[in-house]
Structures are given as C-alpha cells and as structure tokens.
C-alpha cells in the first residue's frame, strides 16, 4: 500500500521508525569508527618501552631475578589485550642456564573505556605454555629459596599491573618439572587451568578448573617412570576473606578416570598458621583403575579387583610436619581380589576400613584365600615412623599346590606339593620391608596339615602326611607328624626357631626306609639297581636350616640285609645286620659282620666329628676322626678285588723289575704301576685302627696270623706293631706311607684301602686324579722265611738260594706315581742271613762260578749260612763281608749288587786241596807246565790233602750275563808250592826220626 494511502497515524509511526534507524545506524557507525580509531591510535600511545616498564621492573623487584621478554605490545581488536612474548625468569646461580620460569606468551585482557582514557585496568590474564623448573640440590637447597628475598616491594601505585583485581585467569599447555638431585627423584606435570576471582564485599569469591593432562614421576628406588596419571581434573569454589585469613571451601573435587574425591570445609589462619577443617569422600572406586596409578613394579601380576569407598575428615594446623594434623576416615572394601603371577590369591574380600595419618586398619575381613575361606583383621600403625603390623588370620583348608604357585616354577614341578593347610594365627611386629624387620616378626597360632605330599626328582618322597602346626613367637612347630616316606611309615615332630632370622631346626623322626628307593634319590643309575636292604631309624636332629649338612643327628639306625655295590670290590658289600648309633657329632657301630662275595670280616667302628658334614668332610683341614677294629679268619684279596687280567703283573714283580731296570712283557714297570695305582691319595682324616686276619692271601703272597695297628692323619699312614707269618717265616715291624707333600687336597675317602692297594697290586681301579707325592719309611724283620720264595717274588734273582732267610731292614725311599721305590733315593741298612740252604745253579752268578772254577756243584748247592750286614744307597746293594759256610767250601763275600742288575763282588773261598785238584784249576796255573798240578796231586795223596787254599774271584757283569775272574792266581800257586815244600820237609823229618830224637 503506498504511503500516501496510509492513515495519518500510520504515516507518523513509519517516519519515527525511519528516523530511529537512521539515528541508530549513525551511532553504531560512529562507534565503529571510534573503535577503529582507538585500535589504530591507542597502540601508538603505549609504546613497547612504556609497556615493559609496567611489567619487567616490578617483577624483577618482586623476585630478585632478571626478567627477560622478547616483545610486548597492545592490541585493541578483537578485544583490548596486552601481549608479552617470550617471558623468561632467570634461574638461581648453580642450577644451570635454563630459566627457572619461562612462557611462550602472557596475555592480559584490559577494560576498553579506561583504556580510552589512557588507563590500563586488567580484567583477565592468560598464560600460554609456561614451564616451571623446580630443582633441589644435593645439599637440600632449591633454586626458588631466594626468590623474592629482597626487601624491595613494588609500589602499588608504581605499576598499572600491580595490586589490581583480576576476574579471570587462564593457563594453557603448562608444564612443571621437579628434580631432586639428592634422591634422584623427579616429577613432571602437564596441566591447564581457568580460574576466576570476583569481589564479594570484603571477601573474594573464586572458582575454577585445573586440568592435569599428565603427571609422571621417576622413583629410582623402584624403576623408571614408576607413576603416571592421565587426564585428571580438579574443580573448586571458594570464598576467601583476606582480612580474617579464612577460606571457605564450598566445593573441591578431584576427578580422575578411577577415583573422584570431593572435599568441603574451611581453612583458617591463612595469614599466620593455616588450620584445616575439611571433610572428604571418594564414592565407590574401582581398585583396578586405582592400580593404574601405582608403580609398575608394585602391581605387576597383581590384577586387583573390587571397589573401595572412603569418607572422613582432615583437621588441624598445617606445619612443617604433620604431627598436629589429624586424619580420620572410614570406608568399605567390597568384592576385592588380587592375583599373584597369574594365580588367584584373594577373591570376594569384603572388609571395613579405618584410616588415620599414622595408621590403617582392615577389620572384619571375609573372603577367599587361594580358594579357602578367609577371615581376620589387619592393622598397621606408626606409618610415618616405624610401621608396625598386627594381623589375625583364619583360613579353611588351602591347597598346597596353589600355595606352591608362589615358589619359582622350576621348583613347583620338581616337588609337586600335595595336600591342604589350615591356619589360625596372629602376627605382630614391624611391617616387613627387609630381612631385619622380618626377623622381629612374632607369629602365634596353630594350623593343620592334611594329606601332604612332596616329590623329589620324580620320586614320591612324602605321601599322606598329617600334622598339627604351631606358631609361638618366632618358632614354628610340626606336631604329631605321621605319614609315609618313600612308601614306608614315618612319624615324628619338628620345630624351627628364629623363623625369619637364622632358622634352627630341631626334630625327631622314626620309621623304616627302603634303601633302594632312598638311593634312587641320588640319581646314580649305576648303583641304584644293586643296592638292597632296609633301615629302621629313630633319629633326633638339630642344626641350621640354611646349612643342611651342618645338622647334627642323634639316635639309632638299624641296617638289615644291606647290599651296596663297591667299585673296588668284585662283589657288593653285604651287611646282614648292624646298628649305627648317631652321637650328634659322629657315629659308632658295634661289632658287625661284613661280606663281599665269599670273603667275610667283622668290623667295629667309631667316627668322631663327622657332623656337621660341612666341617667333617671338608676338603682341607678336616675335623673327621675315626677308630676301627677289623678282624677276619681268612681274606683272599684276589677274590675280593675285581678279577684282573692274568697277564697283569703283581706288585712284587713290578718292584723287582723296576729296581733291576728290566721290562715286563715289553712294558715299563713304572708305567704299569702308574696305570694301576696312579692317583691313589690318602685322605687327611685322622684314623686309628686294629687289623687282625687269620690268613691273608694276596697271590703270590700269603700272610698267616697277621695283625697290625693303623694310624692315619694328615695324609700319612702308619702301620705299626706288624706281626704275622709269611714265606713260612715270622714278620714283624712297621712302615709309614707319607703323602703330606701332596699339593692336592683330599676330597674324601679314596675308592679303596691304600694299605690293601700297596699289598694287592693290580686290584684297585686306576684313577685319572693327579698322583700325589709319596714317601715310604720302613723298619721290619723277617725271620726263618723261605729265602728262595722271597727272592723269586721280590728280586730278579729268581730262586738264587734255598734255605731260610732272616732279614732285618730299616730305611726309606721316595715313591713313584705308581708307589714303586725310586732307585736313586732308596736307602736301607740291615742284616741278611740265609741258613741251611744252597745256591741255585739256575741263577747266572752261581753257575758262572761253578763253570769258572770247575767246582763240583755240590759244593755250592748246600751251605750252612750266607749273610751279613748290608746297606742300600745310590742304587747299590752293598755286602759288608758276608760269610759263606758250605759243606766243603767256605768263604767271604764283599762288594755290591746294582739294583739295576749289575754285579760287582769279590768272593774268597777256602777250597780244600782235594776239591781244588779235582777242579783242574791248578793245572791251568803256573805257566801251564803242569808242575803246580803235579805238586797238588802229590799233596792230595799225602797228609796235606785236608788243607785248604784261599781262592779269590771277582764276579762282574750282570745277573743275566755274569763274568768270573780269579784274582789270586799267583797266591794259589805260591800256597801250593809252600804246602808241597812243607810236606817234603815233614817227610824228611819222618825219615830221619823227626821229633823222636828229642
């Protein structure tokens, strides 16, 4: 409708509207122009230097540090703002060049109208990407200790930014880095905040939100990155009354993904000493989410479950310590559960909680522990000082297999625990954190073990074990123990003292053991199948658990039908019946029979200082000592020891070949002896004993009525009071085998008796152990023995003589690795006498003498005596004027026999003229003209036929290839001539009356 067609009233309203729009448009346009003008003009009115003066000096005066900014400026659009770029607050001296505080930008929103009047009034502050570096030095000081330490304060009127209220404060991308050099701990916070503060009469009302994007802590005592929090938020609303120094906390709520904590109350005395009066509650919180905040090492494999709710109060003054601050809280734990290394440890646990600053209590616990019901109470007090634990726990039957899951996996499979365990116990003492605190823990109560079982190396070691358990202080006891050990009944009682310190076990066990099954635990397949027998035992024992071989047993063990293989014997060792008395430090055995094959003996033994094994069986300086008595009617060592190759040489053969330098079947006797005996080493134990054997056979030797005393200590064996008969003669004396020069230490008893090894060559298995250095000392007497047999066994002379031998010898020698005497070190002194015998013409020297002198064999085949003093040294057997008394020829011997077979003897024989005449020796003397032979023939036919002429010969060469040389040919001729002359004079005297004229 055209305007002219409108009524007058309508035309009037339309005009007013156009005027209003026109006026309003003009006003807005002017305002826009004014704002644009202000945006262009005002920044030029406030230069950067003026703005720096508003900011930098006040901050430097307030902090006492240099403040640097990169740029500062004022902008009007889109909102009036003062912007500071590159803000840096210098660090304290000694803390590095990095600023203590820095920020990318600081934006201060200002009011527009005051700005038009050239007055800056902040309304809001925004801080972009601030970084705060807080450092604690090794001496405990920090880089913020001297911040604001100057007495100069910024005048309220001196800076437009000082002392003016700000209604809004924003922080974005903030970061705080905390480092403690004294402990190595560190903390990093990434956060943002938006806060507000508004005047409310004499008070200030403030509310806001702080977003903690991440909190990461480093605790080196646990492991790196031990604590992490993501996306936490804190909101608050408070009313601050500065004049009264009081803060009314209307709401304070801290929210994370797992937990929300709400707080309200008051904080008074802010201007002097703040005093808290706050209440808080958490609501029901998931424990699994709380665990995300814990150090990774603390919750690895734990898998917590259930919920937790708390409510309480915090009251009291804030000070440098929390001594006067009070925390009181209660709560509930519901459907809680904890795993350990994949095993369900706790399930369905509910409890009432009570918290204080120095204590925590868990009351009315009810749940399941390893599948068994669990009830009890737990409290820990003195949390800030030396925490102390009080625990009361009661369970139904727990499966030991589940309990064993806490042991290393390799042990679980090895022992395969079985049965159930019930507990009703209390524990008191320091909260366990180390060995020292564990040692102070006191446990009281009782328990019950049922159907217990343990395997060892795949064998059923214990089965059907029943026992009552008791706990008192630091002692645990097992009472009324009853079950099966290796399939046989066992009963007893055990207690352990000082449970968490140096545990000592004391107990008693009785039962029957099957020795084959017991031996199977040792895992020696070579001997397990051959061991037989049983042992009834009733033994008490005591000692440290952590050193089982130091436990000392007492009691008795009865052995029945025992059979044990012994590598040094042909047949197993058999003990039909024997009782071993354990004395705590050793053992004793009354006389009992022992057999091996058809060889039998009786043994009585006592061992001292065997226990503890760690000392008694020590490799060096052992404490073990023993006494024994061994008796036997008959022992055949050839039958006792493993059957040997018939081609093997006996010790006596090796002895003779070694000293003579001969070989045996092309082999060196030293090498053979070393193979047989090398490495045999005397133990260092102290042993005393007596051996009595009716007949000892050690082919080719035989001993009857043999007896001797044995003493051994420090790798030295002494055989004393030796008595017996051998080679049909009597034997007496002593010998000592000394290995104290050995560099190697004894590791325990050798595989056979060393004395038997010395008398039973070839019977002891060889060993690869290094041969110890050995020496032999001897002093013996052999009387009326069969000389030929002795020489045949122990020398290369063979049966050189017949008759009886009496021999006294005293000497010493170093031994080879095969226990043979070293010829160069072999020394002896003594007497040797062969009586009522003769020389064997089968031996080289005797036959050579007969052939050289053409003596009748009967003159040497029989004699009354041959012998005298001798010495052995430098490899020589020296004869010191031996007498030779034969039936028709007598004489003396001097010289030496080499131990290697050499002969160097001078022999003077008193040869009767008749024997000399028959030998034809005289006919070969005197230049070969026969005169001496004629004279001798006449003498034999006359009265001088009974006279004897000394004939001296030298025996040389070797025992195998001897040589004979007559040394006194001229003397023999002279003697014959002299005898002939004397005979002629006698005849003249007789012809002319001789003495008859007188």
């Amino acid at each position: 409708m055209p305007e002219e067609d409108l009524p007058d009233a309508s035309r009037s309203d339309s005009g007013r509207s156009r005027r209003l729009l026109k006026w309003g448009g003009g006003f807005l346009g002017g305002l826009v122009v004014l704002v644009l003008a202000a945006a262009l003009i005002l920044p030029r009115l406030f230069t950067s230097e003026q703005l720096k003066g508003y900011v930098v000096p006040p901050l430097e005066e307030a902090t006492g540090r240099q403040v640097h900014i990169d740029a500062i400026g004022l902008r009007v659009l889109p909102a009036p703002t003062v912007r500071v770029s590159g803000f840096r607050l210098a660090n304290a001296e000694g803390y590095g060049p990095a600023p203590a505080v820095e920020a990318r930008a600081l934006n201060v929103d200002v009011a527009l109208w005051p700005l038009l009047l050239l007055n800056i009034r902040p309304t809001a502050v925004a801080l972009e990407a601030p970084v705060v570096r807080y450092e604690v030095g090794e001496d405990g000081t920090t880089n913020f200790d001297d911040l604001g330490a100057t007495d100069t304060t910024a005048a309220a009127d001196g800076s437009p930014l000082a002392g003016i209220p700000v209604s809004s404060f924003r922080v974005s991308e903030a970061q705080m880095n905390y480092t403690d050099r004294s402990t190595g701990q560190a903390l990093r916070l990434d956060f943002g905040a938006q806060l507000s503060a508004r005047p409310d009469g004499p008070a200030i009302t403030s509310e806001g939100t702080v977003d903690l994007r991440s909190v990461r802590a480093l605790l080196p005592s646990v492991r790196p990155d031990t604590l992490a929090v993501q996306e936490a938020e804190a909101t608050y609303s408070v009313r601050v009354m500065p004049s009264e120094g009081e803060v009314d906390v209307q709401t304070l709520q801290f929210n994370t993904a797992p937990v929300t904590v709400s707080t309200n109350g008051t904080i008074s005395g802010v201007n002097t000493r703040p005093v808290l009066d706050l209440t808080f509650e958490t609501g029901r919180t998931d424990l699994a989410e709380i665990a995300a905040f814990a150090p990774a090492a603390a919750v690895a494999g734990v898998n917590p479950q259930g919920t937790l709710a708390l409510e309480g109060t915090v009251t009291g003054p804030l000070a440098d310590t929390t001594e006067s601050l009070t925390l009181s809280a209660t709560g509930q734990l519901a459907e809680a559960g904890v795993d350990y290394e994949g095993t369900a440890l706790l399930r369905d646990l509910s409890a009432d909680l009570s918290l204080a600053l120095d204590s925590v209590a868990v009351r009315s616990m009810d749940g399941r522990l390893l599948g068994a019901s669990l009830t009890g109470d737990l409290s820990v007090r003195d949390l800030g000082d030396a925490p102390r634990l009080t625990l009361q726990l009661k369970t139904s039957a727990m499966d030991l297999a589940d309990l064993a899951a806490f042991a290393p996996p390799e042990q679980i499979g090895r022992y395969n625990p079985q049965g159930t365990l019930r507990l009703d116990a209390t524990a008191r003492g320091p909260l366990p954190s180390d060995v020292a605190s564990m040692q102070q823990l006191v446990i009281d109560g009782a328990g019950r073990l049922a159907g217990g079982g343990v395997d060892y190396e795949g064998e059923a070691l214990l089965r059907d074990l029943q026992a009552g358990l008791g706990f008192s202080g630091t002692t645990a006891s097992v009472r009324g123990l009853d079950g099966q050990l290796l399939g046989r009944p066992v009963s007893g009682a055990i207690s352990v003292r000082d449970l968490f310190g140096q545990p000592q076990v004391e107990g008693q066990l009785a039962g029957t053991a099957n020795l084959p099954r017991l031996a199977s635990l040792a895992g020696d397949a070579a001997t397990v199948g051959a061991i037989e027998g049983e042992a009834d035992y009733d033994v008490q024992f005591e000692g440290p658990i952590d050193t089982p071989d130091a436990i000392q047993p007492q009691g008795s063990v009865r052995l029945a039908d025992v059979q044990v293989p012994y590598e040094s014997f042909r047949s197993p060792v058999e003990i039909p019946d024997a009782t071993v008395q354990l004395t705590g430090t050793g053992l004793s055995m009354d006389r009992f029979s022992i057999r091996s094959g058809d060889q039998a003996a009786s043994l009585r033994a006592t061992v001292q200082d065997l226990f503890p094994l760690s000392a008694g069986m020590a490799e060096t300086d052992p404490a073990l000592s023993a006494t024994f008595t061994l008796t036997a009617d008959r022992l055949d060592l050839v039958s006792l020891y493993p059957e040997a190759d018939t081609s093997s040489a006996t010790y006596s053969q090796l002895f003779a070949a070694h000293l003579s330098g001969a070989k045996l079947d092309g082999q060196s006797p030293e090498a053979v002896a070393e193979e047989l005996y090398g490495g045999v080493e005397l133990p260092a134990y102290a042993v005393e004993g007596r051996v009595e054997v009716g007949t000892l056979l050690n082919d080719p030797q035989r001993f009857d009525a043999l007896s001797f005393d044995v003493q051994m200590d420090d790798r030295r064996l002494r055989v004393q009071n030796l008595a017996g008969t051998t080679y049909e003669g009597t034997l007496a004396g002593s010998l000592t085998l000394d290995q104290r020069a050995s560099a190697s230490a004894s590791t325990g008893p050798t595989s056979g008796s060393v004395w038997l090894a010395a008398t039973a060559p070839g019977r002891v298995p060889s060993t690869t152990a290094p041969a110890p250095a050995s020496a032999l000392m001897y002093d013996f007497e052999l009387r009326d023995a069969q000389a030929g047999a002795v020489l045949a066994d122990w020398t290369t002379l063979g049966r050189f003589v017949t008759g009886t031998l009496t021999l006294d010898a005293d000497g010493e020698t170093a031994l080879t690795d095969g226990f043979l005497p070293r010829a160069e070190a072999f020394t002896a002194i003594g007497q040797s006498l062969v009586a009522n015998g003769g020389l064997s013409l089968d031996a080289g020297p005797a036959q050579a003498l007969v052939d050289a002198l053409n003596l009748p064999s009967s003159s040497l085949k029989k004699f009354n005596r041959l012998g005298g003093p001798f010495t052995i040294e430098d490899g020589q057997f020296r004869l010191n004027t031996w007498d030779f008394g034969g039936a028709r020829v007598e004489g003396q011997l001097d010289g030496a026999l080499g131990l290697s077979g050499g002969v160097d003897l001078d022999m003077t024989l008193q040869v009767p003229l008749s024997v000399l005449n028959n030998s034809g020796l005289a006919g070969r003397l005197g230049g070969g003209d026969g005169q001496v032979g004629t004279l001798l023939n006449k003498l034999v036919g006359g009265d001088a036929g009974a006279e004897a002429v000394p004939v001296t010969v030298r025996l040389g060469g070797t025992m195998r290839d001897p040589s004979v040389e007559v040394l006194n040919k001229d003397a023999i001729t002279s003697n014959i001539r002299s005898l002939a002359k004397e005979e002629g004079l006698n005849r003249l005297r007789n012809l002319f009356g001789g003495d008859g004229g007188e």
Side-chain angles (χ1 to χ4, degrees):
M1 177 181 295
E3 184 177 348
E4 58 272 12
D5 295 333
L6 294 174
D8 292 340
S10 297
R11 285 197 301 269
S12 177
D13 290 339
S14 175
R16 257 194 318 272
S17 295
R18 283 197 300 271
R19 287 192 300 272
L20 182 60
L21 288 174
K22 185 175 181 180
W23 179 86
F27 176 78
L28 290 175
L31 183 60
V32 168
V33 171
L34 180 61
V35 170
L36 290 176
L40 293 174
I41 297 172
L42 288 176
R44 289 175 171 78
L45 296 178
F46 293 93
T47 66
S48 61
E49 292 302 322
Q50 288 177 312
L51 293 174
K52 283 184 180 182
Y54 295 148
V55 175
V56 174
L59 287 177
E60 288 183 336
E61 291 180 6
T63 62
R65 303 271 183 89
Q66 287 187 340
V67 174
H68 300 276
I69 61 175
D70 292 340
I72 187 169
L74 172 67
R75 68 182 183 186
V76 177
L77 295 178
T81 303
V82 175
R83 180 176 178 82
V84 178
S85 300
F87 173 82
R88 297 180 299 282
L89 176 66
N91 213 338
E93 184 177 353
Y95 289 88
V101 180
E102 63 179 318
R104 186 171 60 213
L106 172 66
N107 295 321
V108 180
D109 295 346
V110 298
L112 177 59
W113 296 117
L115 185 61
L116 295 176
L117 300 176
L118 302 181
N119 187 13
I120 296 178
R121 189 177 71 191
T123 60
V125 174
L127 199 58
E128 295 180 9
V131 176
V132 179
R133 296 180 178 89
Y134 190 92
E135 298 182 51
V136 180
E138 295 183 357
D139 59 355
T141 61
T142 76
N143 61 333
F144 279 83
D145 284 349
D146 62 347
L147 195 66
T150 62
D151 295 332
T152 305
T153 58
D157 297 333
S159 170
L161 300 180
I164 53 179
V166 176
S167 61
S168 178
F169 181 79
R170 302 183 305 275
V171 177
S172 62
E173 301 179 38
Q175 184 181 111
M176 178 175 179
N177 296 329
Y178 169 86
T179 303
D180 189 338
R181 297 178 186 174
S182 63
T183 63
Q185 297 179 349
L187 178 71
R188 173 173 171 172
L189 288 81
D190 295 301
F191 63 93
Q194 183 166 348
L195 316 175
S196 67
R198 296 182 302 276
D200 185 8
I204 298 175
T205 300
S206 177
E207 61 185 21
T209 301
V210 178
D211 293 318
L212 290 174
R213 289 191 293 274
S214 69
V215 178
R216 187 172 298 277
L218 171 64
L219 307 176
S221 59
V222 183
R223 66 170 61 173
D225 295 336
T226 55
L227 180 64
V229 177
Q230 301 289 337
E231 301 301 331
E233 181 183 79
T235 60
Y236 74 92
S237 175
V238 299
R239 187 170 185 271
V240 181
M241 289 167 283
S243 60
E244 299 179 12
E246 184 174 314
V247 178
D248 180 12
V249 181
Q250 297 169 345
T251 61
L252 173 60
Q253 184 168 294
F254 182 78
N255 296 293
T256 66
V259 64
T260 298
V261 180
S262 299
T263 302
N264 59 68
T266 61
I267 304 175
S268 59
V270 175
N271 299 332
T272 55
R273 186 182 185 190
V275 177
L276 303 183
D277 185 4
L278 302 175
T279 63
F280 67 90
E281 63 177 342
T282 63
R284 193 157 295 279
T285 304
D286 193 321
L287 294 177
E289 295 182 356
I290 290 181
F293 291 98
V299 297
V302 172
N303 185 30
Q305 305 173 23
T307 60
L308 171 68
L310 289 173
E311 60 181 21
T313 62
V314 178
T315 59
L318 283 176
D320 294 337
T321 67
T322 58
E323 293 178 357
S324 56
L325 194 64
T326 301
L327 169 66
S328 177
T330 59
Q332 292 79 39
L333 190 65
E335 297 181 353
V338 174
D339 291 354
Y340 183 81
E341 299 294 342
T343 299
L345 177 61
L346 283 171
R347 285 294 184 271
D348 302 329
L349 184 67
S350 62
D352 296 330
L353 305 179
S354 176
L355 299 178
L357 282 178
D358 64 345
S359 66
V360 58
V362 183
R363 307 292 185 191
S364 303
M365 288 190 296
D366 187 11
R368 290 182 296 124
L369 174 64
L370 293 173
S373 63
L374 165 70
T375 59
D377 298 292
L378 167 67
S379 65
V380 181
R381 67 179 190 276
D382 299 332
L383 288 174
D385 186 12
R388 298 190 63 82
L389 167 77
T390 300
L391 171 66
Q392 186 275 322
L393 189 70
K394 184 175 182 179
T395 72
S396 62
M398 294 181 290
D399 195 317
L400 290 179
D402 293 336
L403 191 62
F406 298 101
E410 64 274 11
Q411 293 187 10
I412 298 174
R414 183 179 181 184
Y415 295 112
N416 185 28
Q418 305 170 27
T420 61
L421 174 66
R422 295 174 180 267
L423 290 175
D424 186 356
T426 62
R428 305 181 309 278
L431 185 68
S433 59
D434 52 25
V435 174
S437 58
M438 283 292 293
Q439 292 174 350
Q440 300 179 49
L441 205 59
V442 176
I443 301 177
D444 294 292
R448 184 69 189 173
L449 178 67
V454 173
D455 292 353
Y456 183 78
E457 300 293 349
E459 284 279 338
L461 180 63
L462 291 168
R463 286 295 185 271
D464 301 327
L465 205 61
Q466 314 288 328
L469 307 180
F471 305 96
S472 177
T474 58
T475 299
S477 60
V478 180
R479 302 181 298 269
L481 185 146
D482 185 58
Q484 289 190 351
L485 173 64
L486 293 172
R488 300 300 175 92
V490 63
S491 61
I494 301 172
S495 66
V496 180
R497 305 186 307 273
D498 196 7
L499 199 59
F500 302 110
Q502 297 178 337
Q504 299 283 319
V505 65
E506 180 179 354
Q508 179 267 333
L509 291 176
T512 300
N514 179 267
L515 295 185
R517 294 198 64 184
L518 192 62
S520 68
L521 299 180
D524 188 353
T527 60
V528 167
I531 293 179
E532 297 181 2
E534 290 189 345
D536 294 330
Y537 57 91
D538 187 351
V539 178
Q540 300 84 43
F541 50 89
E542 183 175 3
I545 286 181
D546 54 357
T547 311
D549 62 356
I551 294 176
Q552 297 185 349
Q554 290 182 316
S556 63
V557 178
R558 182 178 180 183
L559 305 175
D561 300 322
V562 173
Q563 176 177 293
V564 180
Y566 187 49
E567 64 177 2
S568 295
F569 292 170
R570 182 182 305 183
S571 302
V573 174
E574 300 176 7
I575 302 175
D577 183 73
T579 299
V580 181
Q581 294 291 336
L582 301 173
T583 62
T585 58
L587 59 85
S588 65
M589 302 177 70
D590 287 337
R591 183 185 177 97
F592 65 96
S593 297
I594 183 171
R595 295 196 303 264
S596 180
D598 58 358
Q599 304 302 303
S602 294
L603 179 65
R604 182 173 66 241
T606 301
V607 180
Q608 299 87 26
D609 301 319
L610 172 62
F611 306 107
L613 289 175
S614 56
M617 304 295 285
E619 294 184 0
T620 59
D621 192 23
L624 183 147
S625 61
T627 59
F628 73 92
T629 300
L630 175 69
T631 60
D633 293 333
R634 184 179 185 277
L635 283 179
D636 185 349
L637 300 183
V638 175
S639 299
L640 182 65
Y641 288 108
E643 189 170 1
D645 187 345
T646 56
S647 64
S648 297
T650 65
Y651 179 79
S652 56
Q653 291 172 325
L654 295 170
F655 179 92
H658 169 67
L659 291 182
S660 66
K663 291 185 179 294
L664 292 173
D665 297 328
Q667 290 184 289
S668 163
E670 297 82 10
V672 175
E674 184 175 357
E675 181 180 354
L676 293 173
Y677 310 122
V680 174
E681 185 174 356
L682 295 173
Y685 308 129
V687 178
E688 292 189 9
R690 175 75 177 171
V691 177
E692 297 178 355
V693 182
T695 298
L696 177 67
L697 301 177
N698 183 34
D699 188 42
Q701 286 86 41
R702 175 190 176 109
F703 300 86
D704 292 300
L706 179 66
S707 64
F708 55 88
D709 295 322
V710 174
Q711 287 185 339
M712 184 171 65
D713 62 88
D714 192 23
R715 293 186 289 277
R716 179 175 59 181
L717 173 69
R718 292 186 294 270
V719 176
Q720 297 178 315
N721 303 319
L722 177 64
T725 61
T726 185
Y727 296 106
E728 300 182 22
T730 60
L731 175 67
S734 64
L735 62 86
T736 299
L737 176 63
D738 194 344
Q739 289 185 328
R740 288 179 298 176
S742 172
S744 60
S746 174
T747 57
T750 57
S751 60
S753 166
V754 175
W755 184 82
L756 292 178
T759 59
R763 312 306 184 194
V764 178
S766 61
T767 175
T768 57
S774 304
L776 181 70
M777 285 73 74
Y778 55 89
D779 179 8
F780 67 89
E781 177 186 86
L782 180 64
R783 293 194 176 280
D784 301 326
Q786 291 300 310
V790 174
L791 295 177
D793 285 350
W794 295 93
T795 74
T796 57
L797 297 176
R799 294 185 179 271
F800 178 62
V801 296
T802 60
T804 60
L805 171 66
T806 296
L807 179 65
D808 295 330
D810 183 0
E812 64 181 24
T813 180
L815 298 179
T816 67
D817 295 342
F819 290 96
L820 295 176
R822 296 186 182 277
E824 70 280 2
F826 192 14
T827 63
I829 184 170
Q831 295 276 343
S832 176
L833 174 64
V834 179
N836 301 319
L839 296 178
S840 172
L841 298 184
D842 294 335
Q847 185 62 53
L849 185 62
V850 170
D851 292 344
L853 300 181
N854 197 19
L855 297 174
S857 59
S858 60
S859 63
L860 297 177
K861 280 188 175 181
K862 188 174 182 180
F863 55 76
N864 296 324
R865 58 180 286 130
L866 172 65
F870 68 86
T871 59
I872 300 176
E873 60 183 355
D874 299 329
Q876 298 287 319
F877 185 88
R878 299 186 183 278
L879 289 66
N880 299 323
T881 311
W882 280 23
D883 292 330
F884 175 80
R888 303 182 65 187
V889 178
E890 295 182 350
Q892 290 182 329
L893 283 81
D894 286 284
L897 294 172
L899 296 180
S900 62
V903 178
D904 184 11
L905 294 175
D906 289 341
M907 186 175 186
T908 299
L909 299 176
Q910 299 296 327
V911 182
L913 293 178
S914 58
V915 175
L916 187 61
N917 185 49
N918 292 334
S919 71
L921 179 62
R924 299 192 297 274
L925 301 175
D929 56 6
Q931 293 182 5
V932 176
T934 302
L935 291 174
L936 180 59
N937 189 45
K938 292 179 179 180
L939 287 173
V940 171
D943 294 336
E947 295 288 341
V949 176
V951 177
T952 301
V953 298
R954 173 165 291 168
L955 294 172
T958 65
M959 296 298 293
R960 293 172 178 265
D961 187 18
S963 63
V964 179
E965 177 186 0
V966 180
L967 298 180
N968 63 339
K969 295 178 181 179
D970 292 342
I972 294 173
T973 302
S974 177
N975 283 335
I976 293 174
R977 293 181 185 277
S978 177
L979 286 174
K981 182 177 180 180
E982 183 65 27
E983 179 64 17
L985 291 174
N986 287 338
R987 289 181 178 181
L988 287 174
R989 292 189 188 100
N990 291 335
L991 179 64
F992 293 102
D995 296 333
E998 294 181 359

